[in-house]
């Protein structure tokens, strides 16, 4: 990877490679800074094959750290500062991280590792990049694990270059401008960053760790962004609330979850020149195994959108439980081999052996990855995704193993058993619901708030259940297994407005905010002191709420502000400060001509 980048830097040293928050780095500047950081890492003992932690928010310095790590011959492990410290320490321990790159003065959580300041790249001497082999580790990406701890997927250089070079599913070269807005822990991060940087394009970094549709729209307009990747969940929100964010975009790839045909049709009607594609692939297959070009004709009648044909260099097989090929039209499990397949799981040989199995039809020693996804191959070779063969689910584009969440909840001293399932909320979006059996004895029954706080200390925010249900016992089938179908629906979530202790809103703006909270969350009687996230809010409903605030009140509030000011009362000063300063003609609005949302409560009240 770093050799491909260096070749591009020699060809076009003055071309802009990276843009972030007013800062622009050319290919030559980025290459030189990464060389110097590589020298610093080598002096701190980093050797080929090592894994280096990168504890930095999304920034130009983060990219310098990633590229410098590769030039030192090592692979990188993204330690997202938004994750709980204990989770980061566990990830670093599993990967054997001995050196962590961070900002000078930052208290990085992996205290057992040597800290290297990214600013050292400014003083260090440049070194010649270290030679590596195509199958040497380039990065380790952690995802949810069924055994109770996240599992680290080791991707070699060849997996990334095999997916992002020599392909035609997207434009990465000169003239392309990609927005990097996916979470840095996703494999889509590699698509958005390395896709352009290995091919001569331009990468624009989204500020902060969470994608903000308003910011996305501004960056697309300001930097003439041509290419986007959005998780299906975020794409649906953008189509509903922020359709102008796609104005000017030439190509958009959607993935991570099933794509809604209705939203695809609406996007193509509003943007007839848009090249829309549906991508599919687990992290173990590096971003995509297949990409399907979506046409207006095929989504017009609402049929499920297929996931397409394999990319160049990727071999996909549809097999039965005895690893025999399934005939076209039959249902089988998808196995992947060839370019893009990971090496296995970091420090988990038993899990690697279970999921990466010998390829009976490939070259000697070749392995294939068992995806766990059920598919059907049509007569024309196009694959249709049908679901999972196990309990794994996708929540807002994140891969979730319920067993990991169950293990964490069962570790609470007041809990004896826990079960976690995905259920649709009032808006149809999937959410995690935890069913908890409290421990008998002298211990006080834990409250929902205590359980939520316990989970948030150990899990990434997308793994924290949206609702908790306390049961005397979990329902079991006659053979003693959990009877998921018998788990009760969680009761309706209500706010404090109608309770005796609930304060009434003071003034029309606070009342409007309470109404918008209620509308977006599908929760009755939201009061000024009710916490958005305790009522079931998440990153997608945040985006919906901020779009409604912008449309209804003419005020701009950022994603980070809502994560910090979680109640209508706390949010009120920020809304009043910016109210009327946003031109409502430019505010996000639903698509017209039959696709509009109903008039909101706040609009009616105002």
């Amino acid at each position: 990877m770093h050799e491909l980048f260096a070749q591009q830097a020699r060809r076009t040293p003055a071309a802009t490679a990276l843009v972030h928050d007013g800062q622009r780095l050319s290919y030559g500047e980025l290459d030189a800074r990464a060389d110097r950081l590589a020298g610093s890492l080598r002096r701190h003992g980093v050797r080929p094959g090592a894994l280096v932690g990168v504890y930095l928010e999304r920034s130009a310095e983060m990219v310098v750290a990633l590229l410098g790590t590769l030039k030192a011959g090592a692979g990188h492990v993204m330690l997202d500062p938004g994750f709980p410290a204990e989770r980061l320490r566990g990830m670093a321990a599993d990967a054997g991280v001995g050196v962590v790159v961070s900002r000078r003065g930052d208290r990085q959580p992996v205290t057992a590792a040597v800290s290297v300041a990214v600013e050292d790249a400014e003083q260090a001497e440049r070194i010649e990049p270290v030679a590596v082999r195509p199958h040497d580790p380039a990065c380790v990406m952690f995802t949810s694990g069924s055994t109770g701890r996240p599992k680290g997927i080791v991707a070699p250089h060849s997996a990334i270059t095999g997916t992002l070079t020599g392909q035609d599913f997207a434009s990465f070269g000169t003239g392309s401008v990609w927005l990097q807005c996916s979470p840095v822990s996703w494999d889509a991060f590699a698509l958005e960053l390395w896709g352009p940087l290995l091919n001569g394009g331009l990468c624009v970094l989204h500020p902060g760790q969470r994608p903000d549709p308003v910011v996305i729209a501004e960056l697309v307009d300001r930097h003439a962004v041509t290419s986007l990747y959005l998780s299906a969940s975020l794409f649906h929100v953008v189509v509903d609330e922020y359709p102008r964010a796609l104005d000017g975009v030439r190509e958009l790839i959607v993935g991570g979850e099933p794509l809604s045909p209705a939203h695809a049709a609406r996007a193509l009607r509003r943007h007839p020149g848009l090249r829309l594609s549906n991508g599919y692939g687990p992290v173990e297959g590096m971003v995509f195994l297949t990409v399907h070009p979506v046409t207006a004709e095929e989504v017009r009648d609402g049929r499920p959108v297929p996931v397409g044909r394999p990319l160049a260099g990727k071999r996909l097989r549809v097999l039965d439980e005895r690893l025999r090929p399934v005939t076209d039209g039959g249902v089988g499990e998808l196995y992947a081999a060839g370019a893009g397949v990971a090496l296995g799981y970091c420090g988990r040989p038993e899990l690697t052996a279970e999921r990466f199995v010998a390829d009976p039809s490939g070259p000697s020693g070749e392995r294939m990855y068992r995806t766990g996804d059920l598919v059907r191959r049509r007569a024309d070779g196009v694959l249709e995704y049908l679901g999972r063969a196990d309990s794994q689910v996708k929540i807002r584009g994140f891969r979730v193993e319920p067993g990991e969440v169950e293990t964490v909840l069962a570790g609470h001293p007041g809990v004896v058993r826990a079960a976690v399932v995905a259920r649709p909320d009032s808006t149809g979006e999937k959410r995690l619901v935890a069913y908890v059996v409290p421990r008998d004895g002298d211990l006080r029954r834990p409250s929902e708030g205590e359980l939520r706080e316990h989970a948030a200390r150990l899990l990434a925010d997308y793994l924290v259940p949206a609702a908790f249900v306390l049961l005397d016992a979990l329902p079991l089938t006659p053979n003693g297994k959990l009877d998921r179908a018998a788990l009760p629906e969680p009761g309706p979530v209500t706010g404090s407005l109608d309770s005796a202790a609930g304060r009434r809103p003071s003034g029309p703006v606070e009342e409007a905010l309470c109404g918008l909270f209620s509308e977006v969350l599908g929760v009755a009687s939201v009061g000024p002191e009710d916490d958005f996230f305790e009522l079931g809010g998440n990153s997608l409903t945040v985006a919906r709420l901020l779009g409604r605030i912008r449309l209804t009140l003419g005020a701009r509030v950022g994603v980070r502000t809502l994560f910090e000011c979680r109640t209508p009362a706390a949010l009120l000063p920020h809304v009043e400060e910016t109210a009327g300063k946003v031109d409502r003609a430019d505010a996000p609005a639903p698509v017209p001509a039959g696709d509009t949302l109903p008039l909101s409560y706040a609009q009616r009240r105002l």
Side-chain angles (χ1 to χ4, degrees):
M1 291 170 59
H2 55 278
E3 291 171 4
L4 287 175
F5 177 82
Q7 291 170 11
Q8 185 62 46
R10 287 193 293 269
R11 284 193 295 267
T12 58
T16 303
L18 202 64
V19 173
H20 176 254
D21 199 21
Q23 182 181 10
R24 304 178 76 89
L25 284 182
S26 69
Y27 272 87
E29 290 168 334
L30 180 54
D31 193 49
R33 288 180 61 177
D35 280 346
R36 289 195 290 268
L37 181 61
S40 180
L41 291 173
R42 294 284 288 174
R43 283 192 298 277
H44 281 86
V46 172
R47 293 294 179 263
L51 291 171
V52 172
V54 176
Y55 181 72
L56 292 165
E57 289 198 346
R58 194 182 345 243
S59 60
E61 290 74 20
M62 178 197 69
V63 180
V64 169
L66 299 180
L67 189 55
T69 296
L70 296 174
K71 285 174 175 281
H76 62 261
V77 180
M78 292 300 306
L79 301 175
D80 188 337
F83 283 7
E86 188 165 340
R87 185 178 185 84
L88 295 179
R89 284 192 286 270
M91 291 164 53
D94 282 354
V97 167
V99 173
V100 173
V101 182
S102 61
R103 291 189 186 277
R104 187 178 293 120
D106 279 0
R107 295 185 59 186
Q108 58 93 353
V110 189
T111 54
V114 175
S115 289
V116 175
V118 70
E119 295 88 346
D120 288 352
E122 302 306 320
Q123 289 79 36
E125 294 182 4
R126 296 182 68 171
I127 66 163
E128 287 297 318
V130 176
V132 299
R133 298 166 299 176
H135 280 75
D136 284 342
C139 64
V140 174
M141 291 167 286
F142 279 83
T143 187
S144 182
S146 59
T147 60
R149 77 180 204 255
K151 55 190 177 189
I153 298 157
V154 185
H157 286 254
S158 58
I160 298 173
T161 59
T163 299
L164 301 179
T165 61
Q167 303 284 359
D168 61 2
F169 66 86
S171 302
F172 293 116
T174 304
S176 67
V177 182
W178 279 81
L179 178 63
Q180 198 292 292
C181 61
S182 293
V184 298
S185 58
W186 283 14
D187 56 342
F189 167 78
L191 167 79
E192 299 163 332
L193 179 69
W194 298 117
L197 292 187
L198 299 184
N199 293 280
L202 169 62
C203 179
V204 178
L205 298 178
H206 183 296
Q209 300 302 92
R210 299 181 177 92
D212 182 335
V214 172
V215 176
I216 290 174
E218 291 177 348
L219 293 174
V220 166
D221 180 60
R222 184 186 314 155
H223 299 291
V225 169
T226 64
S227 308
L228 279 179
Y229 169 86
L230 297 174
S231 70
S233 295
L234 183 55
F235 170 72
H236 299 157
V237 171
V238 167
V239 171
D240 285 341
E241 310 284 346
Y242 304 87
R244 292 186 182 89
L246 303 181
D247 290 351
V249 174
R250 296 203 299 258
E251 55 185 2
L252 169 64
I253 306 177
V254 177
E257 299 157 282
L259 171 61
S260 157
H263 286 84
R266 287 163 60 182
L268 291 172
R269 279 202 302 272
R270 180 181 173 97
H271 310 279
L274 179 67
R275 178 187 180 186
L276 177 64
S277 300
N278 186 32
Y280 157 80
V283 181
E284 290 86 346
M286 185 42 65
V287 192
F288 297 132
L289 295 174
T290 66
V291 174
H292 179 73
V294 180
T295 65
E297 290 74 25
E298 71 180 324
V299 294
R300 187 171 292 139
D301 58 4
R303 287 180 299 172
V305 182
V307 295
R309 297 181 177 87
L311 300 183
K314 306 204 177 199
R315 302 191 305 275
L316 303 184
R317 299 189 175 92
V318 184
L319 307 177
D320 65 14
E321 65 277 3
R322 297 176 63 182
L323 299 186
R324 297 174 303 188
V326 173
T327 57
D328 289 349
V331 177
E333 186 173 350
L334 187 66
Y335 288 73
V341 175
L343 299 175
Y345 298 106
C346 198
R348 309 279 290 278
E350 74 294 340
L351 186 58
T352 299
E354 175 189 335
R355 305 303 297 188
F356 293 83
V357 299
D359 183 357
S361 303
S364 177
E366 186 86 0
R367 295 183 305 163
M368 56 183 182
Y369 170 65
R370 180 183 180 184
T371 68
D373 289 326
L374 301 177
V375 299
R376 177 190 296 118
R377 193 194 309 272
R378 302 190 319 205
D380 60 1
V382 171
L383 292 171
E384 297 175 339
Y385 175 82
L386 303 177
R388 290 290 300 174
D390 55 23
S391 62
Q392 184 189 110
V393 295
K394 283 291 187 77
I395 300 292
R396 305 190 300 279
F398 292 93
R399 193 162 92 181
V400 172
E401 295 279 5
E404 179 178 4
V405 187
E406 292 167 355
T407 299
V408 167
L409 291 176
H412 187 284
V415 173
V416 64
R417 286 196 69 189
V420 175
V421 300
R423 290 187 181 275
D425 62 13
S426 59
T427 68
E429 295 283 354
K430 282 185 181 178
R431 61 171 181 162
L432 292 180
V433 178
Y435 296 87
V436 175
V437 178
R439 189 177 299 278
D440 292 332
D442 298 332
L443 287 174
R444 181 175 57 85
R445 289 167 67 92
S447 67
E448 178 175 338
E450 290 171 358
L451 293 171
R452 188 185 304 278
E453 183 179 347
H454 171 76
R457 284 199 305 269
L458 302 172
L459 297 170
D461 57 5
Y462 65 88
L463 290 168
V464 177
F468 294 81
V469 178
L470 297 182
L471 299 175
D472 292 332
L474 295 178
L476 302 177
T477 62
N479 61 3
K481 294 185 177 180
L482 175 68
D483 188 353
R484 295 181 182 273
L487 290 169
E489 287 280 353
V493 180
T494 58
S496 65
L497 190 59
D498 291 338
S499 68
R503 176 174 70 82
R504 304 288 303 179
S506 56
V509 177
E510 189 171 65
E511 183 179 7
L513 282 174
C514 291
L516 289 173
F517 272 52
S518 174
E519 173 190 319
V520 168
L521 295 171
V523 172
S525 68
V526 174
E529 308 300 335
D530 289 334
D531 187 297
F532 183 81
F533 297 96
E534 290 183 1
L535 294 177
N538 56 56
S539 59
L540 288 181
T541 47
V542 163
R544 292 189 186 278
L545 176 63
L546 299 185
R548 306 292 173 88
I549 289 174
R550 187 175 172 89
L551 175 64
T552 305
L553 301 174
R556 172 172 178 175
V557 178
V559 167
R560 178 173 291 187
T561 300
L562 184 53
F563 273 88
E564 295 170 350
C565 305
R566 301 175 168 220
T567 68
L571 202 58
L572 180 62
H574 298 276
V575 171
E576 291 180 331
E577 181 182 352
T578 61
K581 295 182 181 180
V582 174
D583 186 347
R584 296 192 194 208
D586 292 331
V591 184
D595 289 318
T596 54
L597 296 173
L599 195 67
S600 73
Y601 168 86
Q603 286 173 305
R604 295 196 302 271
R605 291 294 298 147
L606 290 171

